[in-house]
Amino acid sequence: MADKLSVRDLTLDGKKALIRVDFNVPIENNQITDDTRIRASLPTIQYVLDRGGAVILMSHLGRPKGKPEPQFSLAPCAKRLSELLNKPVKMAPDCCGSQIEQMARNLKPGDVLMLENLRFHKGEEKPEEEPDFASALSELGDVYINDAFGTAHRAHASTTVIDQFFPEAAAAGFLLEKEMAYLGSVLLNPKRPFCAILGGAKISTKFKVIEALMKKADVLLIGGAMAHTFFKSEGISIGDSLYEKEFLSVAREIIDIASQSRCRILLPTDLVIAPRIDSASGSKIIQVDQGIPDGFQGVDIGPNTIQNYQAELKKAATVFWNGPLGVFEHPPFDKGTEAIARTMADLPATTIVGGGDSIAAIEKAGVAEHIDHLSTGGGASLEYIEFGQLPGIEALSDRPNILNSLLT
């Protein structure tokens, strides 16, 4: 991030700052159940307000199909932000148009305006189908700040196209800077040993990340349903467990490459299995080499695997974790995930957790404050590992070269 413009570099007094935030938060019965992402945006918002600026916030929420859907309104987010800031947050009925432009013009220093869901317009996700959308958004502000790491991997109107309308005033917010500082330290110069943990259901969404991590990490610990695809590729019976048939050859290739790599890949040696994922009735522990019998499916890593993984973690100087290691939303099949969470909290290593499920597990275990960095963007963090860059960051203005400016 050192070569990209920061919010610290902007002149904000009397300016209207158009800030892309990630308020894609869980909402049930019109109530926010987890405001972590809103709270994460507060430092940047408060910084602008403290320096005499007005704030115009834009975000998406959920997956509306390019048209207004009331259940995806950002009004609950505006209400919660108002409580956190202890000041009014005006809620706009849309995110562009003459009425919204007038609301923006009327803003005074210290005011906060929340635009309605960007994805109510098809131009947000498909800029080519509504090419004027980013331009209309840009008319609202004097400077642009991207503080939405969770969407930095998506080339959407509000994350990449809009930057061109602020050629020397498209800057990173504090959250974006923090995310990239931690991820950059892990990827560019990690303290070793570097241990990565990958869980979750699908190898299809993470095999490129696995390949990238094999070039960077010293040991890779695999868990979750994706482990079943690896087992199946080795001819081990997996019973009724979830797996991805079309990725068996990919799993086999990864294992072959790992055998010749300096990065070790560890798979579970024992599992908790059950007839159903939503009931502990009939569950038992088996050794992986015995195979999972028909009528059962893997639901968690077993006690020996927990011990093995804990031993690896205790040797690590840097740890990155993405994805639960079992069906953690259905106790008691959360024991493996929770044990790893507690172990990470006690490590002297630099610890980074990315992804909503992993963070949920950390918070459920009550150890969130003991993790060095909780990344607000699981998908973005994985794509950064895979590609080494993100379009939402690449699009930001470059910081002027002070030496060159002095010489000219």
Side-chain angles (χ1 to χ4, degrees):
M1 291 296 297
D3 59 339
K4 292 297 180 181
L5 204 67
S6 165
V7 62
R8 298 178 184 85
D9 301 318
L10 297 175
T11 298
L12 296 167
D13 188 25
K15 303 291 187 181
K16 296 179 177 67
L18 189 59
I19 308 178
R20 179 50 160 107
V21 290
D22 183 8
F23 285 1
N24 186 30
V25 298
I27 297 178
E28 296 177 9
N29 300 319
N30 215 37
Q31 296 294 319
I32 296 171
T33 58
D34 183 356
D35 66 356
T36 301
R37 289 182 171 182
I38 298 177
R39 286 185 283 108
S41 72
L42 293 178
T44 296
I45 294 171
Q46 195 62 58
Y47 182 87
V48 173
L49 296 175
D50 289 346
R51 277 150 186 79
V55 168
I56 303 170
L57 300 168
M58 52 183 179
S59 178
H60 76 283
L61 175 64
R63 298 181 180 275
K65 306 298 182 182
K67 59 183 180 181
E69 297 183 38
Q71 70 268 34
F72 294 122
S73 172
L74 282 162
C77 297
K79 178 183 177 184
R80 180 59 183 142
L81 179 62
S82 177
E83 295 168 350
L84 292 168
L85 290 174
N86 194 29
K87 67 183 305 169
V89 174
K90 301 173 185 177
M91 184 66 211
D94 201 346
C95 55
C96 59
S98 58
Q99 181 183 2
I100 311 306
E101 290 174 8
Q102 186 61 48
M103 292 182 74
R105 279 195 294 270
N106 291 340
L107 292 176
K108 301 292 190 296
D111 287 347
V112 182
L113 174 66
M114 180 82 235
L115 303 183
E116 188 52 282
N117 196 333
L118 293 165
R119 290 187 181 176
F120 285 178
H121 292 258
K122 64 180 180 180
E124 167 61 3
E125 295 184 272
K126 299 178 180 179
E128 69 283 358
E129 293 187 15
E130 198 177 344
D132 295 333
F133 181 61
S135 175
L137 291 173
S138 73
E139 293 294 327
L140 304 176
D142 302 308
V143 297
Y144 168 79
I145 300 167
N146 191 341
D147 211 28
F149 178 73
T151 60
H153 60 310
R154 305 195 185 283
H156 289 172
S158 66
T159 56
T160 57
V161 183
I162 195 171
D163 302 68
Q164 65 186 294
F165 300 101
F166 300 91
E168 296 179 0
F174 294 126
L175 176 60
L176 197 67
E177 286 186 334
K178 180 183 178 184
E179 293 275 9
M180 296 311 298
Y182 270 98
L183 291 177
S185 68
V186 168
L187 298 177
L188 300 180
N189 189 30
K191 294 181 180 178
R192 298 192 178 278
F194 173 24
C195 177
I197 312 167
L198 284 183
K202 295 182 177 181
I203 191 175
S204 58
T205 60
K206 295 181 180 177
F207 77 93
K208 290 291 187 181
V209 176
I210 293 174
E211 292 176 350
L213 282 171
M214 286 168 63
K215 300 175 183 177
K216 307 175 188 296
D218 298 290
V219 61
L220 181 55
L221 311 179
I222 301 291
M226 76 160 70
H228 304 147
T229 303
F230 283 100
F231 297 147
K232 185 76 171 179
S233 75
E234 294 190 296
I236 298 172
S237 172
I238 60 169
D240 299 341
S241 301
L242 291 173
Y243 80 104
E244 293 178 285
K245 182 177 181 180
E246 62 274 26
F247 281 86
L248 290 174
S249 60
V250 172
R252 182 69 256 172
E253 183 179 348
I254 288 173
I255 292 174
D256 289 342
I257 293 174
S259 67
Q260 304 169 36
S261 169
R262 73 175 184 83
C263 177
R264 295 176 294 122
I265 291 186
L266 299 188
L267 292 165
T269 56
D270 61 342
L271 294 170
V272 179
I273 63 172
R276 294 166 47 201
I277 63 172
D278 59 351
S279 173
S281 177
S283 64
K284 56 185 178 179
I285 298 170
I286 63 145
Q287 299 302 305
V288 168
D289 56 12
Q290 297 174 358
I292 302 173
D294 291 342
F296 284 81
Q297 51 191 307
V299 292
D300 198 6
I301 56 175
N304 289 339
T305 301
I306 291 173
Q307 290 182 0
N308 292 340
Y309 286 8
Q310 287 173 328
E312 293 292 340
L313 289 170
K314 290 173 182 177
K315 293 184 288 186
T318 305
V319 180
F320 173 79
W321 180 22
N322 176 276
L325 303 178
V327 191
F328 84 107
E329 62 270 32
H330 292 291
F333 307 142
D334 57 349
K335 289 183 179 178
T337 300
E338 186 163 324
I340 295 304
R342 292 186 181 280
T343 299
M344 282 187 66
D346 292 334
L347 296 177
T350 299
T351 51
I352 300 173
V353 176
D357 286 344
S358 305
I359 292 176
I362 290 288
E363 292 180 339
K364 181 182 177 184
V367 296
E369 67 274 15
H370 300 294
I371 303 299
D372 290 311
H373 183 59
L374 300 177
S375 176
T376 56
S381 62
L382 293 180
E383 288 208 17
Y384 184 68
I385 290 171
E386 181 179 344
F387 299 112
Q389 62 181 26
L390 295 172
I393 292 170
E394 292 300 303
L396 295 174
S397 303
D398 291 330
R399 178 176 283 143
N401 187 312
I402 296 177
L403 179 60
N404 286 345
S405 65
L406 291 174
L407 295 175
T408 57

